[in-house]
Amino acid sequence: MFKINQNYLKLPGSYLFSDIGRKVNAYAAAHPDKRIIRLGIGDVTQPLAPAIISALHGAVEEMGDAATFRGYAPDLGYGFLRDAIAENDYKARGCDIRPEEIFISDGAKCDSGNIQEIFSLDNRIAVCDPVYPVYVDTNVMAGRAGCYDSRTETWSDVIYMPCMAENGFAPDLPKETPDIIYLCFPNNPTGAAITRGQLQEWVDYANRVGSVIIYDAAYEAYISEEDVPHSIYECQGARTCAIELRSFSKNAGFTGVRLGFTVIPRELKAGDVSLHSLWARRHGTKYNGAPYIVQRAGEAVYSREGRDQLKEQVAYYMRNAAYISQGLKEAGYTVSGGVNAPYIWLKAPGGMSSWDFFDYLLEKANVVGTPGVGFGPSGEGYFRLTAFGSYENTVEAVERIKAL
């Protein structure tokens, strides 16, 4: 008789945003007269930029002509896109990353979950707490997380690095030595950022103890402060200890188009084994490449028109973030984030739990956010709002909250 992967049964409940969706749908069904404003999930709302639409149309026309039709994409990505990424995201910032070290994919979420496949099950992971749930859940599915403690909402074999107000929502170096360190800056969910000097400390630490850093830079386009690094490869020594994940979802609105990439330098090795070659093998075996049409759209992100148009979109969302942050502060909330990231992290008032505040906002203001505890035990008592709504909905949501 066939058997299942028992590790899936260890996962408590369901995926965070599935739980939120069920709650919101149930409320909407019971109150059809209420207009709900959703500032919970980190999904963009602005349409694709004109330069990207033009590239998509052009690529579609190519696919309709036998002379320019494309079949399977190269499993590691088309050269035109990898060249554009290397030139604009790395070389322009002084980072030594070559096109052949860039692996095109259908998004950073998949890569952040799949990357653990190239590591042994006896590696210990360290994660920020609170944390993007995919990092932990995919390691649970693989059998690397140990046993779940429902009382503390932690896994026995995971090293948690608390990110609290006291440390600026940025983790301290762990007391236990991890093998794999997950870092996400600017951070989801807290919106926190770290300086280049702080990130250099992590790179130095990883090289010293023999750890690998999986660095999620999905929100780098939202950085506004000068000393906040856009890439971990701005740090000396990162080529020997770091993998970087990037996404086109939040900087270019590709949440419904799907495109991302992972960078693995050739110098990154476990003994004599290159992680670059392992990921290339995994990629080639399990993936047939992102569609040609989508990769042409990704190339347009780096055109002069694309860059200008996307700067306007990022500014649009960050105006929302500033409005939320200022409005909540005026209402007496303790607020952080919203400066280098499109997320606002707030303290639930009156000692409410995260889920109690979720229910309170939904019922009293018809506004949806994300309970902080869903991102880890240190998120209890906190709440995340996103700046990805329309400006009009953002203004109305803030006014509703201020009126409570």
Side-chain angles (χ1 to χ4, degrees):
M1 182 177 177
F2 68 87
K3 297 179 175 62
I4 62 169
N5 181 348
Q6 292 288 328
N7 294 308
Y8 276 68
L9 303 183
K10 296 179 181 179
L11 289 165
S14 57
Y15 187 54
L16 170 62
F17 296 103
S18 300
D19 288 338
I20 291 172
R22 279 192 293 272
K23 274 179 166 279
V24 173
N25 290 338
Y27 181 84
H31 303 85
D33 57 319
K34 303 294 186 181
R35 192 176 82 84
I36 298 171
I37 298 177
R38 301 170 188 257
L39 300 180
I41 193 168
D43 194 2
V44 296
T45 54
Q46 293 298 294
L48 294 173
I52 295 169
I53 292 295
S54 178
L56 284 168
H57 281 302
V60 168
E61 290 297 325
E62 289 184 59
M63 296 296 276
D65 186 331
T68 52
F69 172 78
R70 309 288 183 113
Y72 288 125
D75 50 18
L76 306 186
Y78 282 102
F80 61 78
L81 180 55
R82 298 166 89 190
D83 288 344
I85 292 169
E87 182 67 29
N88 292 277
D89 285 333
Y90 295 103
K91 185 177 179 181
R93 296 193 178 278
C95 303
D96 179 23
I97 295 297
R98 298 179 281 279
E100 61 269 21
E101 296 173 322
I102 297 166
F103 298 79
I104 306 300
S105 73
D106 59 358
K109 180 178 182 178
C110 290
D111 284 355
S112 65
N114 293 332
I115 194 70
Q116 53 83 23
E117 290 186 22
I118 66 173
F119 297 101
S120 168
L121 286 182
D122 60 5
N123 283 296
R124 288 200 69 188
I125 69 166
V127 297
C128 296
D129 174 30
V131 65
Y132 182 44
V134 173
Y135 307 152
V136 174
D137 286 0
T138 53
N139 277 282
V140 173
M141 292 172 177
R144 194 178 286 110
C147 299
Y148 184 68
D149 185 336
S150 59
R151 181 181 57 84
T152 61
E153 299 183 326
T154 59
W155 295 89
S156 61
D157 292 345
V158 173
I159 298 170
Y160 291 87
M161 303 181 293
C163 299
M164 310 294 290
E166 294 75 17
N167 59 3
F169 299 105
D172 299 321
L173 296 176
K175 295 179 181 179
E176 299 178 81
T177 302
D179 302 296
I180 303 168
I181 303 167
Y182 286 83
L183 295 178
C184 172
F185 288 103
N187 185 257
N188 177 19
T190 67
I194 58 176
T195 66
R196 190 171 288 102
Q198 287 175 298
L199 186 54
Q200 184 67 60
E201 289 182 10
W202 281 98
V203 169
D204 293 342
Y205 170 81
N207 278 319
R208 185 169 65 250
V209 301
S211 300
V212 61
I213 297 173
I214 299 175
Y215 192 75
D216 187 343
Y219 299 94
E220 63 82 27
Y222 293 85
I223 292 171
S224 64
E225 295 180 319
E226 188 66 28
D227 195 34
V228 176
H230 289 254
S231 168
I232 196 169
Y233 301 114
E234 294 177 39
C235 296
Q236 186 175 1
R239 286 184 59 85
T240 57
C241 71
I243 295 170
E244 184 162 285
L245 312 177
R246 289 283 193 104
S247 170
F248 286 80
S249 287
K250 307 304 165 59
N251 68 324
F254 278 38
T255 53
V257 179
R258 307 309 305 149
L259 190 66
F261 62 91
T262 290
V263 178
I264 304 185
R266 291 191 180 277
E267 289 94 322
L268 182 53
K269 296 181 178 181
D272 294 329
V273 179
S274 164
L275 269 62
H276 181 281
S277 64
L278 293 183
W279 187 240
R281 185 68 170 89
R282 191 263 172 207
H283 221 57
T285 300
K286 292 192 173 186
Y287 189 57
N288 263 339
Y292 171 73
I293 295 168
V294 175
Q295 293 197 50
R296 279 297 185 195
E299 181 188 30
V301 167
Y302 300 101
S303 67
R304 179 178 299 177
E305 297 82 1
R307 288 197 299 266
D308 290 343
Q309 292 161 8
L310 293 176
K311 282 180 182 178
E312 292 180 8
Q313 281 200 358
V314 168
Y316 178 94
Y317 292 130
M318 290 310 287
R319 180 173 67 148
N320 289 352
Y323 193 93
I324 297 170
S325 180
Q326 184 60 35
L328 292 180
K329 287 176 182 177
E330 291 173 357
Y333 287 87
T334 301
V335 180
S336 61
V339 176
N340 296 295
Y343 295 119
I344 290 81
W345 189 244
L346 61 130
K347 184 74 174 173
M352 282 189 189
S353 72
S354 296
W355 278 109
D356 284 345
F357 188 61
F358 173 90
D359 292 335
Y360 176 73
L361 273 192
L362 178 60
E363 294 168 7
K364 302 299 183 182
N366 305 143
V367 173
V368 177
T370 308
V373 72
F375 298 102
S378 291
E380 178 57 275
Y382 285 89
F383 202 75
R384 191 193 77 174
L385 293 173
T386 84
F388 287 124
S390 69
Y391 181 71
E392 294 75 18
N393 278 349
T394 298
V395 170
E396 183 174 346
V398 171
E399 295 310 306
R400 290 183 188 180
I401 295 172
K402 290 171 71 173
L404 293 175

